[in-house]
Amino acid sequence: QVRLVESGGGLVQPGGSLRLSCAASGIAFSNSHMGWYRQAQGKQRELVARITRSFTTDYADSVKGRFTISRDNAKTTVYLQMNSLKPEDTAVYYCWADTAYEFWGQGTQVSVSS
């Protein structure tokens, strides 16, 4: 059974930081591309960042220079370090895995507000 379990979301003030984690099980993690998507209320789900099995990364333009994606294959976990958060970063953040099939986590809420 594939499980992607996100954690680390919460409420933070503008300019603050959060670190999201996604613990994966049931997949060949080191052979999987991993990533984070987000969906704000009333908007479509969008890519935030991805990291390939070769550790190549790419980011949405809106988060470049502020967010960093990383992975630890030994812990089968992918991370998203989010700095300089803005109110427009408020969304539900979903962990994504591509193993030839796509899998999604249940999502974690990130709210940026003063």
Side-chain angles (χ1 to χ4, degrees):
Q1 181 183 3
V2 177
R3 294 191 69 199
L4 301 175
V5 180
E6 302 102 332
S7 61
L11 174 63
V12 64
Q13 291 186 339
S17 297
L18 283 173
R19 187 195 196 204
L20 304 183
S21 300
C22 171
S25 60
I27 60 172
F29 186 85
S30 61
N31 285 331
S32 302
H33 305 311
M34 302 296 297
W36 292 92
Y37 284 71
R38 67 186 180 187
Q39 187 167 17
Q41 195 168 6
K43 295 188 177 181
Q44 290 188 330
R45 191 172 298 189
E46 63 177 2
L47 170 70
V48 176
R50 290 182 297 201
I51 183 165
T52 71
R53 58 190 178 189
S54 304
F55 291 81
T56 301
T57 59
D58 70 279
Y59 298 89
D61 288 343
S62 59
V63 307
K64 282 180 181 176
R66 300 188 297 123
F67 291 11
T68 302
I69 189 170
S70 62
R71 63 189 295 161
D72 185 333
N73 286 350
K75 295 182 178 179
T76 64
T77 300
V78 62
Y79 304 97
L80 185 68
Q81 178 66 44
M82 304 186 294
N83 298 328
S84 302
L85 283 160
K86 304 176 180 180
E88 51 263 44
D89 294 317
T90 295
V92 178
Y93 284 69
Y94 295 92
C95 182
W96 167 83
D98 181 1
T99 69
Y101 297 97
E102 289 188 326
F103 299 97
W104 296 90
Q106 81 286 354
T108 186
Q109 177 70 46
V110 172
S111 298
V112 185
S113 175
S114 55

